[in-house]
Structures are given as structure tokens and as C-alpha cells.
Amino acid sequence: MKSILTIVLSMICLFIYGQVDYDTYFATAGNNKEEFKIQITEKKGVVDEVYIYSKSVDNTYDKCVLVVKAKKLGTFVDYLKYVNTKFKEWSETAIKNKVDDFSKDIDADLRDYYSVGFAYDDWYMDSRVKLKSMFAVNEGDPIIYIYTGTIYSNSNSYIQSKGLFMPFATPEDLQELIDKLDVSMMQRSLSKNSDTENLFN
């Protein structure tokens, strides 16, 4: 059985060497629109994990990354689609009724646990994280947050972060992320990358 140290070291190595740049998406908070990477890893030539980088809730850690196993990607995408449907519906309701300030969690039954990494100088991982989502209206502007609660390092529970969050100012921005989380598109990207590497053997 692998020791915890071996598992942690393998995770660190994966962060350093394993990911291939795949695409980017935009998250928006207020007037600040930021571009974040999406990376993928492969196992025996097949997409294995998807790394979706995002913002950190607190200032201690400058970035976070959500790790989604390929086998969980369909469930995750369905969850995002449901959230986006609520985003559209509730935005229309808020605008129609001139709601200025409001917030409510979106009740979606997402049973899967996910891994979330948080980094300042080093990367730390929490491998049992539940995702949540919230609809909010700030000064009349609707927004969606995909977020976590407090997350803890697998290797040291004293090392923690207030969590990950992905803010989307429009349903179109969230839809753009959804569209990019297509396994067949990722597989083509991996194949193209492999073909390019083979040119330089």
C-alpha cells in the first residue's frame, strides 16, 4: 500500500510535469474579467483528468485549480448546465422585478467529490471537496458563483484555504466553459499534441 508521502509526491510531480495546455475560459467579478487555463492529463493516450484553474476566495493563496476525473466529467457538465439554466431564469426574474441585492444557493444534487488544489509558493491538495453554486444580484447585476467551502491540505490539516470560486457575470461566459469541457474535443487536442511531439523524435 502506498504511503501518504508517496501519494503526495506523485501529486506534486503531476502538477509539475503532467498537464498539457488545452484551452482557456473567462471568469468575471465586477469589472474584472480574467482568463484562466484549462489543462488535461492523459493515461495511455486517453484523457484522464481535467484541470480548471480559478480564483481563490482569500488573499493567502493566489490561485486554485479544480481537478475533474474524465469519468466524472459528464456529471460535472450536467451540473453546470443546470446551474446555467437557473442563472438565465433567475436573472430574468431579477431584472423584471427590479431586484437590486439578493443571493441564494442553487439546490443541485451533486454527490461527487472533487480534488481542489491551492497554491502560493507550493501546491496543496484537498481530495474530498464538494462544489456549491450561488446566484446573486449585486447592485442590480446578476452573477453566478461556483465555489467550495474551506479546503484543507491532504498532507497537513493545518494548511487550509477559504476555497475556490468561479464567478460568471453572464450565462454566455458559463456556457463557453461548458462547451469547452467536451471529451472528444480534448481527445483531439491530445492527439494533435502527440502528433506534434512525434515529429521531433
Side-chain angles (χ1 to χ4, degrees):
M1 190 167 182
K2 289 184 178 179
S3 69
I4 292 175
L5 179 60
T6 302
I7 293 170
V8 171
L9 287 174
S10 67
M11 289 177 117
I12 291 171
C13 289
L14 182 62
F15 265 99
I16 297 171
Y17 301 113
Q19 295 101 310
V20 175
D21 286 345
Y22 163 65
D23 212 322
T24 60
Y25 75 99
F26 287 96
T28 306
N31 295 320
N32 187 19
K33 191 165 189 173
E34 294 184 54
E35 187 174 24
F36 292 93
K37 281 185 179 182
I38 304 171
Q39 296 179 322
I40 49 180
T41 64
E42 56 88 19
K43 186 179 287 184
K44 297 181 179 178
V46 178
V47 176
D48 183 44
E49 293 179 320
V50 182
Y51 288 68
I52 306 168
Y53 290 81
S54 68
K55 300 174 72 66
S56 175
V57 172
D58 59 307
N59 295 324
T60 306
Y61 300 96
D62 61 0
K63 55 181 165 289
C64 288
V65 61
L66 172 65
V67 184
V68 183
K69 287 277 190 184
K71 64 184 179 182
K72 294 183 178 180
L73 195 59
T75 303
F76 178 64
V77 168
D78 286 343
Y79 170 72
L80 293 182
K81 288 178 179 177
Y82 177 77
V83 168
N84 211 22
T85 297
K86 287 296 181 185
F87 192 5
K88 294 172 186 174
E89 291 175 1
W90 291 0
S91 293
E92 289 177 5
T93 300
I95 292 167
K96 182 179 179 180
N97 292 279
K98 299 180 180 178
V99 176
D100 289 326
D101 292 286
F102 176 77
S103 65
K104 182 178 180 179
D105 276 338
I106 295 174
D107 185 16
D109 186 17
L110 187 63
R111 297 180 181 180
D112 289 337
Y113 287 95
Y114 295 89
S115 293
V116 175
F118 52 105
Y120 181 59
D121 290 325
D122 295 315
W123 279 102
Y124 303 96
M125 292 292 298
D126 186 336
S127 59
R128 285 185 63 81
V129 179
K130 284 282 193 177
L131 292 179
K132 306 172 186 178
S133 55
M134 176 189 288
F135 171 80
V137 182
N138 300 319
E139 297 181 353
D141 295 324
I143 190 167
I144 280 283
Y145 299 103
I146 311 292
Y147 70 101
T148 69
T150 302
I151 50 180
Y152 302 88
S153 167
N154 285 336
S155 57
N156 185 341
S157 61
Y158 292 103
I159 298 175
Q160 58 184 259
S161 164
K162 291 180 182 177
L164 159 154
F165 82 109
M166 301 176 182
F168 297 95
T170 68
E172 289 75 21
D173 284 348
L174 181 50
Q175 186 62 48
E176 182 182 29
L177 173 60
I178 291 168
D179 291 342
K180 290 178 178 180
L181 298 179
D182 181 284
V183 174
S184 60
M185 288 172 58
M186 293 176 185
Q187 193 62 51
R188 286 195 295 271
S189 179
L190 272 180
S191 299
K192 183 177 179 181
N193 184 70
S194 178
D195 291 344
T196 301
E197 285 187 4
N198 288 336
L199 293 173
F200 300 94
N201 284 336

